[in-house]
Amino acid sequence: MLKTAKAIPASIVTSVTREPLSGSKKIYVSNEANTFKVAMRHIELSPTLLRGSGDTAEYEENEPVRVYDTSGPYTDPSIDIDLNKGLPKFRKDWIDARNDTVQLENFSSDFTNQRLIDELDIEPFENKPKPRIAAEGKNVSQMHYARQGIITPEMEYIAIRENLGRASIPQDQIAELTAKGLPKEITAEFVRKEIAEGRAVMPMNINHPELEPMIIGRNFLVKINANIGNSALGSSIDEEVEKMVWSTRWGGDTVMDLSTGKNIHETREWIIRNSPVPIGTVPIYQALEKVKGIAEDLTWELFRDTLIEQAEQGVSYFTIHAGVLLEYVPLTANRVTGIVSRGGSIMAKWCLAHHKENFLYTHFDDICEIMKAYDVTFSLGDGLRPGSIADANDAAQFGELKTLGELTQKAWKHDVQVMIEGPGHVPMDKIKANMDEQLHHCYEAPFYTLGPLVTDIAPGYDHITSGIGAAQIGWYGTAMLCYVTPKEHLGLPNKDDVKTGIITYKIAAHAADLAKGHPNSQVRDDAMSKARFEFRWEDQFNIGLDPDTARAYHDATLPKESAKVA
Amino acid sequence: MLKTAKAIPASIVTSVTREPLSGSKKIYVSNEANTFKVAMRHIELSPTLLRGSGDTAEYEENEPVRVYDTSGPYTDPSIDIDLNKGLPKFRKDWIDARNDTVQLENFSSDFTNQRLIDELDIEPFENKPKPRIAAEGKNVSQMHYARQGIITPEMEYIAIRENLGRASIPQDQIAELTAKGLPKEITAEFVRKEIAEGRAVMPMNINHPELEPMIIGRNFLVKINANIGNSALGSSIDEEVEKMVWSTRWGGDTVMDLSTGKNIHETREWIIRNSPVPIGTVPIYQALEKVKGIAEDLTWELFRDTLIEQAEQGVSYFTIHAGVLLEYVPLTANRVTGIVSRGGSIMAKWCLAHHKENFLYTHFDDICEIMKAYDVTFSLGDGLRPGSIADANDAAQFGELKTLGELTQKAWKHDVQVMIEGPGHVPMDKIKANMDEQLHHCYEAPFYTLGPLVTDIAPGYDHITSGIGAAQIGWYGTAMLCYVTPKEHLGLPNKDDVKTGIITYKIAAHAADLAKGHPNSQVRDDAMSKARFEFRWEDQFNIGLDPDTARAYHDATLPKESAKVA
């Protein structure tokens, strides 16, 4: 594989995967005013043989297949990337132009400032940017702009991106709907309206200007998230940066850094500076490391500093387990698997130890103040999600869900963006109820689920048990699907596992798009099927989600080149 | 692995996988009259530590998990198996006792008789049994018995097997129903009634007395089929016998031998004689080999001889593409992928070449006469199934489905058992209609589908694209799911692919059982979840569908023994 391989001595991250996907090239679609370009991918196809052979052969061209591209600049060989400097700050001018932020000379987090003077056993990111924050009295969330009727460049970008640049309708018009209720074309005004009404979120911290704007909402393409992150058991910073690049290469729309090992702050900096997609975190994980793993020692002040630390680095969404209320904890006592959410069990432990209400709940308005100063999106955690088929859809789970709805309205009063996390382990016949309850109790805020796994009996195959549930709940309206790898419940995923998880979830998300009748989503299926019918093997490999594996499988049986055109 | 490794010189099949599954032992449950035993599998669990440690530790026992077992005698190390003699003829006494069959001195098929004198380049199965056929004027189908109110030992066996031996209700009573309409306990009378009314089939040719009776119907556990078979590209007889054993080891309920290469007759004989599960075939494949691949040269006489040849070997169900009518062929002209079913395209070619109605349709009553003389079950093929998302649920597909319904009623007039094959490639929102149309037009005959694949864009992962569809359609009522391996559309599956296909489909079938509310299906999930909550790692591996892979994945991260009990 082509790799960036710069000999920069100070760097600990020297290379990531950069080869374009097989048969693909990067294209850029400009907006009407030609002020910016949206990256997409063209899968180029060979022509169809109509008749004849050799010199007398007659061919018909096949249009390239245009697909949504999450891989950022890495798959464009013409772009020079210096991992030590990070990706180009794509969105900086837009943020500057709004003139509602200030750049700070120093970081606002005590922890960050301490790390800057601490002696570290790794090489920190040397070009760490100074933090930006909303100017006094300003709210920089995209929801805030949307509610004032402002179409931001980010919204316009998303409209073109979601639309795959195929429509030429004026961007300030509202889109017509398909028979199934999805817009025929995505317009910037449609994006604005969905954001204003809370049905979609655009996670994009002003301190992550490197990211390519994207949207999560049920009237848009279904998105997927990949989890990465180190642990006490190991993994280095360069492995994590490569995992992030690898995840976005195969289709990860967002990446969550769930690091719980050493040097969490520095690992995250390296990841964000080089990430073309929004990064999410669970801040309580890092907070817990700061108190040496003793949940009872957590305090609001420490947590608040962690939020600010991460917000000033550029994390775009925070999982916050503010719905784990003291009153719900006893409801989990008779469960088969108790509380399986790590964040949920940390907060339950804290609540019980202090016999106090969850400080994330009591300080929710304070958290909102931080979120709107950087435009961090809430991902309200389902700390009481079921960890087994037996516990699905129980009183604890649905009790918490109602509280998440109450918090959604609270956040929306601050014009802060919100999505809601969902389960978990749910048999197929109980999946629909999860979606219905969520839409009802959380006022249509986007749903973001882990799977759900539709059975507990297949460790080693939980990408599949959960992919089945993910496809279904995606069809029912879940906006983003958090992937599960084959190592779920067993160990830490390696790069192969990450890829398998991503591809499985791209299948689930795409199947959901098809079932929802997303305009043009079937174009790729049709191109594949035509290539299949015409035995254009190379095209079949390249149109697929994983050309490399398809080609290798084909060649294992029919290795000859001739077998690919016959 | 433990293998049978007998040094029998004449044998070409010397060994198959025989090790019991990790943590499991074979148990046998007797019927009330103690006249036969039903094999099942016990997964043995370690106790739960209640409190203390070392000498003061207090434990609570965990009951073994009892699961349905398709692996036959191979996983019982106490049974001596001679592959050259085949498995014990389990069902012979029952067939004899009915006194409605005769044993022939010679085979009724010209082709078989020719093969017996031909010089072969392989070693045929040397203990080939003489064929058995219904006595003059008799009908030996289980449906025929059922309709006369007879509960056969096979039905009683199935009741105990489906019920996992857990109920002690009298076997001649009808079962109570659960809230979701499934029986709380399976009784032999319930089995009889379902067979009599055509809602279920028991594929069990009288010439396959080695098989363990099983049932396919939507009021029973969802079943899965694995395809094996050689091709012009290769694979030996012993590889195919091992694939059959391997398939049943991991949960294949039936196996289809789709051989299209050399020595099809002899390969099938080796497979059937050693198979504990029903074997299905697509007889037109072998018929086509007999006319050197020229579809136009097929005749009813040649096909009839092929049916008799295979019926006298013991094939339990035949895929018959009798619904591909001349009038439907033009309906496929504008499809993206035309006719993708191999059997369908063979018959379409024949119809067009001769401009005559499909001879399988015109000779359907003649075929029924053969079926009832051996108790072969129809699997009415969907020769016009969609091969792409674009072609799903079209006029050709549903036209053929109606004809399959007409043929179902014709077969039922002969008391011949029928199941109906279904697609294929179908987006999620169109799956339910397939089930509804099939139930309506085919009078609730069991549905047997290939997937369906819910998107076309993931070659290399079509076990997953199809597993998503299979789980859904199984929940909606499909009785058997035909597996798809990762090599689908790309090449020939190897043993690893077969296993991956089976495990994926066991997940889909089990998820469907859970969603349908099959009594006791959640027992295994609950045992897994309890083991997970208590960190009993070995139990988690063993309860799972694939203990070997789960253990290997765990050990890749946490190799130490101590990590499995902490």
Side-chain angles (χ1 to χ4, degrees):
Chain A
M1 295 232 179
L2 180 68
K3 303 249 187 179
T4 60
K6 301 213 157 195
I8 295 163
S11 170
I12 53 162
V13 184
T14 53
S15 77
V16 293
T17 305
R18 288 219 47 193
E19 205 166 45
L21 270 80
S22 168
S24 283
K25 77 169 186 191
K26 202 92 170 178
I27 62 146
Y28 296 90
V29 177
S30 297
N31 66 333
E32 275 179 67
N34 203 20
T35 51
F36 63 83
K37 289 182 162 109
V38 181
M40 298 178 192
R41 177 156 72 94
H42 263 192
I43 305 168
E44 307 203 292
L45 305 182
S46 54
T48 296
L49 176 66
L50 292 180
R51 61 192 73 83
S53 65
D55 287 350
T56 65
E58 283 175 53
Y59 292 96
E60 183 178 64
E61 290 300 313
N62 286 297
E63 287 288 305
V65 182
R66 186 178 287 184
V67 297
Y68 191 101
D69 189 355
T70 55
S71 64
Y74 295 102
T75 49
D76 185 341
S78 73
I79 297 179
D80 197 32
I81 297 174
D82 180 346
L83 297 167
N84 294 275
K85 292 198 172 134
L87 294 178
K89 296 194 186 328
F90 186 85
R91 214 160 48 95
K92 184 175 182 304
D93 292 347
W94 300 347
I95 295 165
D96 287 347
R98 285 193 279 263
N99 207 19
D100 55 2
T101 59
V102 290
Q103 187 173 290
L104 301 175
E105 274 313 297
N106 298 301
F107 290 89
S108 315
S109 149
D110 295 340
F111 183 85
T112 304
N113 291 321
Q114 188 60 44
R115 290 301 281 184
L116 289 173
I117 53 174
D118 276 350
E119 202 162 305
L120 305 178
D121 57 359
I122 44 92
E123 200 66 47
F125 187 81
E126 70 177 329
N127 294 293
K128 188 177 173 79
K130 290 200 157 56
R132 188 167 282 279
I133 189 169
E136 185 73 29
K138 296 290 182 185
N139 180 337
V140 299
S141 89
Q142 292 285 330
M143 186 180 216
H144 186 67
Y145 304 137
R147 286 179 162 186
Q148 292 170 70
I150 298 168
I151 293 179
T152 62
E154 287 90 337
M155 296 171 196
E156 194 186 348
Y157 183 101
I158 283 169
I160 296 168
R161 191 176 196 191
E162 287 277 325
N163 222 22
L164 293 176
R166 70 185 188 276
S168 55
I169 47 162
Q171 287 293 319
D172 59 350
Q173 289 185 9
I174 193 76
E176 264 186 278
L177 298 185
T178 65
K180 291 188 183 176
L182 289 182
K184 282 187 188 168
E185 311 87 10
I186 304 292
T187 65
E189 168 56 19
F190 183 78
V191 172
R192 187 205 62 75
K193 188 164 173 285
E194 291 289 295
I195 295 294
E197 294 174 6
R199 267 191 305 277
V201 295
M202 295 158 60
M204 41 185 77
N205 187 320
I206 55 171
N207 287 305
H208 189 183
E210 298 89 347
L211 68 75
E212 297 176 351
M214 56 81 69
I215 195 162
I216 301 166
R218 74 180 197 284
N219 292 324
F220 301 92
L221 290 163
V222 176
K223 304 302 188 296
I224 66 169
N225 170 70
N227 293 331
I228 63 169
N230 71 9
S231 80
L233 293 167
S235 175
S236 63
I237 292 179
D238 63 339
E239 281 176 77
E240 294 307 321
V241 172
E242 168 63 6
K243 267 192 201 167
M244 176 277 292
V245 172
W246 186 246
S247 299
T248 61
R249 173 181 182 79
W250 297 111
D253 292 286
T254 73
V255 166
M256 289 194 82
D257 173 13
L258 303 183
S259 291
T260 56
K262 290 173 71 180
N263 304 310
I264 297 178
H265 180 91
E266 291 71 26
T267 302
R268 188 166 49 232
E269 189 74 30
W270 275 101
I271 291 172
I272 293 173
R273 296 286 73 80
N274 288 293
S275 175
V277 303
I279 300 298
T281 61
V282 187
I284 203 83
Y285 289 1
Q286 190 188 5
L288 191 72
E289 296 298 317
K290 292 176 182 174
V291 292
K292 300 185 169 43
I294 302 166
E296 299 86 320
D297 291 354
L298 287 165
T299 63
W300 160 244
E301 290 69 28
L302 177 98
F303 186 76
R304 181 178 178 279
D305 191 74
T306 305
L307 291 183
I308 293 169
E309 170 202 344
Q310 298 197 6
E312 293 196 348
Q313 284 187 293
V315 174
S316 289
Y317 62 93
F318 287 153
T319 295
I320 304 278
H321 298 94
V324 181
L325 300 192
L326 195 51
E327 63 178 299
Y328 299 142
V329 179
L331 298 179
T332 65
N334 292 320
R335 280 179 160 187
V336 171
T337 46
I339 300 177
V340 296
S341 152
R342 184 155 187 264
S345 70
I346 293 166
M347 292 319 300
K349 208 166 180 183
W350 188 92
C351 291
L352 293 177
H354 295 278
H355 206 77
K356 274 192 187 163
E357 196 50 276
N358 182 338
F359 64 77
L360 303 173
Y361 180 81
T362 56
H363 283 280
F364 196 76
D365 282 313
D366 299 321
I367 299 174
C368 290
E369 295 296 335
I370 299 168
M371 305 302 258
K372 68 192 186 195
Y374 304 96
D375 196 10
V376 183
T377 296
F378 274 112
S379 186
L380 293 176
D382 55 337
L384 303 179
R385 69 166 179 266
S388 55
I389 292 296
D391 296 342
N393 295 18
D394 73 354
Q397 183 197 336
F398 283 151
E400 181 187 33
L401 185 66
K402 281 178 205 158
T403 300
L404 299 186
E406 172 199 327
L407 296 170
T408 299
Q409 293 214 306
K410 213 174 233 194
W412 284 351
K413 280 195 189 135
H414 293 267
D415 293 350
V416 168
Q417 306 191 83
V418 180
M419 54 184 173
I420 308 290
E421 295 187 9
H425 293 240
V426 185
M428 284 191 287
D429 59 311
K430 292 185 177 170
I431 291 177
K432 184 77 165 49
N434 274 274
M435 192 70 230
D436 293 344
E437 292 289 303
Q438 191 273 341
L439 286 174
H440 174 65
H441 291 298
C442 299
Y443 312 95
E444 305 191 42
F447 205 22
Y448 167 30
T449 63
L450 178 77
L453 289 75
V454 296
T455 169
D456 303 336
I457 68 167
Y461 299 81
D462 279 332
H463 57 306
I464 300 178
T465 64
S466 68
I468 291 169
Q472 271 187 35
I473 207 162
W475 171 26
Y476 298 151
T478 290
M480 185 155 78
L481 308 168
C482 182
Y483 89 167
V484 170
T485 79
K487 291 276 171 65
E488 182 78 12
H489 296 120
L490 295 169
L492 300 178
N494 60 25
K495 264 180 73 179
D496 282 345
D497 298 320
V498 167
K499 181 175 169 185
T500 301
I502 298 256
I503 301 287
T504 303
Y505 273 68
K506 285 299 286 182
I507 290 170
H510 184 76
D513 287 336
L514 284 176
K516 285 164 72 177
H518 195 286
N520 272 26
S521 60
Q522 202 182 306
V523 169
R524 192 169 181 179
D525 296 76
D526 292 350
M528 173 68 84
S529 297
K530 185 164 185 279
R532 192 166 274 158
F533 193 61
E534 296 170 357
F535 293 97
R536 287 183 279 117
W537 285 104
E538 284 295 336
D539 289 350
Q540 290 179 58
F541 305 150
N542 294 338
I543 297 167
L545 292 175
D546 178 3
D548 306 340
T549 298
R551 185 177 289 107
Y553 283 0
H554 177 272
D555 291 359
T557 310
L558 298 162
K560 293 198 189 110
E561 198 53 40
S562 61
K564 290 178 201 158
V565 287
Chain B
M1 296 232 178
L2 180 67
K3 303 250 187 178
T4 60
K6 300 213 157 192
I8 294 163
S11 171
I12 53 165
V13 184
T14 52
S15 78
V16 293
T17 305
R18 289 219 46 192
E19 206 167 44
L21 269 80
S22 167
S24 283
K25 77 169 186 193
K26 201 91 167 178
I27 62 145
Y28 295 90
V29 176
S30 297
N31 66 334
E32 275 179 65
N34 204 21
T35 51
F36 64 83
K37 290 182 160 111
V38 181
M40 299 179 191
R41 178 156 72 92
H42 262 189
I43 304 168
E44 307 203 293
L45 305 182
S46 55
T48 297
L49 176 66
L50 292 180
R51 62 191 72 83
S53 64
D55 288 350
T56 65
E58 283 176 52
Y59 290 96
E60 182 177 64
E61 289 302 314
N62 286 296
E63 285 289 304
V65 182
R66 186 178 288 183
V67 297
Y68 190 102
D69 189 355
T70 55
S71 64
Y74 295 103
T75 49
D76 185 342
S78 73
I79 296 178
D80 197 30
I81 297 173
D82 180 347
L83 298 166
N84 293 275
K85 294 202 171 129
L87 295 178
K89 297 196 185 326
F90 185 84
R91 216 160 46 95
K92 184 176 182 302
D93 292 348
W94 300 349
I95 295 165
D96 288 346
R98 285 193 280 263
N99 207 20
D100 55 2
T101 57
V102 290
Q103 187 172 292
L104 300 177
E105 275 313 297
N106 298 301
F107 289 89
S108 315
S109 150
D110 296 340
F111 183 85
T112 304
N113 290 321
Q114 188 59 43
R115 289 301 281 185
L116 290 173
I117 53 174
D118 276 351
E119 202 161 302
L120 305 176
D121 58 358
I122 46 92
E123 200 67 47
F125 186 80
E126 67 177 330
N127 295 294
K128 188 178 174 77
K130 290 197 160 47
R132 187 167 283 279
I133 190 170
E136 186 70 30
K138 296 289 183 185
N139 180 336
V140 299
S141 89
Q142 293 283 331
M143 187 183 216
H144 186 67
Y145 304 136
R147 286 179 163 186
Q148 293 170 68
I150 298 168
I151 293 179
T152 61
E154 286 90 337
M155 296 172 196
E156 193 186 348
Y157 182 101
I158 284 168
I160 296 167
R161 192 176 195 190
E162 286 278 325
N163 222 21
L164 293 177
R166 69 185 188 275
S168 53
I169 47 160
Q171 287 293 320
D172 59 350
Q173 290 185 9
I174 194 75
E176 265 186 278
L177 298 185
T178 66
K180 290 187 185 177
L182 288 182
K184 282 187 189 167
E185 313 87 10
I186 304 291
T187 65
E189 169 55 19
F190 183 78
V191 172
R192 188 204 62 73
K193 188 163 173 288
E194 292 288 295
I195 295 293
E197 294 175 6
R199 265 191 307 277
V201 295
M202 295 158 59
M204 42 185 77
N205 187 320
I206 54 171
N207 287 304
H208 190 184
E210 299 90 347
L211 68 74
E212 297 175 352
M214 55 81 68
I215 195 163
I216 301 165
R218 75 180 197 283
N219 292 324
F220 301 92
L221 290 163
V222 176
K223 304 303 188 296
I224 67 169
N225 171 68
N227 293 331
I228 62 169
N230 71 8
S231 81
L233 292 167
S235 177
S236 63
I237 292 180
D238 65 336
E239 281 177 79
E240 294 307 321
V241 172
E242 168 63 7
K243 267 192 201 167
M244 176 276 292
V245 172
W246 186 246
S247 299
T248 62
R249 173 181 182 79
W250 297 110
D253 292 286
T254 73
V255 166
M256 289 194 84
D257 172 12
L258 303 183
S259 291
T260 56
K262 290 174 70 179
N263 305 309
I264 297 178
H265 180 92
E266 291 71 27
T267 302
R268 189 166 49 231
E269 189 74 31
W270 275 101
I271 292 171
I272 292 174
R273 296 287 73 80
N274 288 294
S275 175
V277 303
I279 301 298
T281 61
V282 187
I284 204 82
Y285 289 1
Q286 190 188 4
L288 191 72
E289 295 299 317
K290 292 177 182 175
V291 293
K292 300 185 168 41
I294 301 167
E296 298 86 320
D297 290 353
L298 288 166
T299 63
W300 160 244
E301 290 68 29
L302 178 97
F303 186 75
R304 180 177 179 279
D305 191 73
T306 305
L307 291 183
I308 293 170
E309 171 203 343
Q310 297 196 7
E312 292 196 349
Q313 284 186 294
V315 173
S316 289
Y317 63 93
F318 288 152
T319 295
I320 304 279
H321 297 93
V324 181
L325 300 191
L326 195 52
E327 63 178 300
Y328 299 142
V329 179
L331 298 178
T332 65
N334 292 320
R335 280 179 159 188
V336 170
T337 46
I339 300 177
V340 296
S341 151
R342 186 157 184 262
S345 70
I346 293 167
M347 293 318 301
K349 209 166 179 182
W350 188 93
C351 292
L352 293 177
H354 296 278
H355 206 77
K356 275 192 185 162
E357 195 50 278
N358 182 337
F359 65 78
L360 303 172
Y361 181 80
T362 57
H363 283 279
F364 196 75
D365 282 314
D366 299 322
I367 299 174
C368 289
E369 293 298 334
I370 299 169
M371 306 300 260
K372 68 191 185 195
Y374 304 96
D375 197 11
V376 183
T377 297
F378 274 112
S379 186
L380 293 176
D382 56 336
L384 304 179
R385 71 167 179 266
S388 56
I389 293 297
D391 296 341
N393 295 19
D394 72 355
Q397 183 196 336
F398 283 151
E400 181 187 32
L401 185 65
K402 280 177 207 159
T403 299
L404 299 186
E406 174 199 327
L407 295 170
T408 299
Q409 292 215 306
K410 212 174 233 194
W412 283 352
K413 280 196 189 135
H414 292 268
D415 293 352
V416 169
Q417 306 191 82
V418 180
M419 54 184 173
I420 309 289
E421 296 187 8
H425 293 239
V426 185
M428 284 190 288
D429 58 313
K430 291 186 177 170
I431 291 178
K432 185 76 165 50
N434 275 274
M435 192 69 230
D436 294 344
E437 292 289 302
Q438 191 273 340
L439 287 174
H440 175 63
H441 291 298
C442 300
Y443 312 95
E444 303 191 42
F447 206 22
Y448 167 30
T449 62
L450 178 78
L453 290 74
V454 297
T455 168
D456 303 336
I457 68 167
Y461 299 81
D462 279 332
H463 57 305
I464 300 178
T465 63
S466 68
I468 291 170
Q472 272 187 37
I473 206 161
W475 171 26
Y476 299 151
T478 290
M480 185 156 79
L481 308 169
C482 182
Y483 89 167
V484 170
T485 79
K487 291 276 170 66
E488 182 77 11
H489 295 121
L490 295 170
L492 300 177
N494 60 25
K495 265 179 74 177
D496 282 346
D497 298 320
V498 166
K499 181 175 168 184
T500 302
I502 297 255
I503 301 288
T504 303
Y505 273 69
K506 286 299 286 183
I507 290 169
H510 183 76
D513 287 336
L514 284 176
K516 285 164 72 177
H518 196 285
N520 271 27
S521 61
Q522 201 181 307
V523 168
R524 191 169 181 179
D525 296 75
D526 292 350
M528 173 69 83
S529 298
K530 185 165 186 278
R532 192 167 273 157
F533 193 62
E534 295 169 358
F535 293 95
R536 287 183 280 117
W537 285 103
E538 283 296 336
D539 289 349
Q540 290 178 60
F541 305 151
N542 294 339
I543 296 167
L545 292 175
D546 178 1
D548 306 341
T549 297
R551 185 177 288 107
Y553 282 180
H554 178 272
D555 290 359
T557 309
L558 297 162
K560 292 199 190 112
E561 199 54 38
S562 62
K564 291 178 202 159
V565 288

